[in-house]
Amino acid sequence: MDKVKVKIINKSHHPLPDYATFEAAGMDVRAYLPDGPMVLKSLERALIHTGLYMQLPSGYECQIRPRSGLALKNGISIANTPGTIDADYRGEVGIILVNLGKEDFTVNDGDRICQMVVKQYSHVSWEEVGELDRTRREDGAFGHTGTK
């Protein structure tokens, strides 16, 4: 597993994002709500502050992903999942939570609201061609390979 240093400023009073287990890919990120809890009604979305500002190395992005427990138990997800934070962004990391559940959901200061995964990426150089290499699958999509 690769290790990369990322500069971070934490203006919240919460711990930095961290891994729950040694081989976890995502770090837990906490809500920073100094003015008190926020209630998300069913099908409502809101920008949740984290108090975090970071400087990713060139060639890296930060992906924001839902937490599976919140999704399963409460229908809480990320509206633009996965959210992408680019290496040249220097503003506060904000999380767009959406309540896909039927009940109101309260977000409290310090709640773990999402996962953060830092990934290396490549820039694409397009090569326009007249046709593509053939494959067994060809243009089959959306369930084409079957369920067995």
Side-chain angles (χ1 to χ4, degrees), residues 100-120:
L100 302 174
K102 295 178 182 177
E103 307 295 325
D104 289 358
F105 181 79
T106 302
V107 182
N108 294 294
D109 184 48
D111 283 353
R112 294 177 300 154
I113 56 170
C114 68
Q115 294 273 305
M116 172 185 284
V117 177
V118 175
K119 300 285 294 175
Q120 199 168 18

Side-chain angles (χ1 to χ4, degrees), residues 87-100:
D88 57 354
Y89 178 68
R90 296 294 185 271
E92 181 182 12
V93 174
I95 310 303
I96 305 169
L97 282 188
V98 60
N99 182 355
L100 302 174

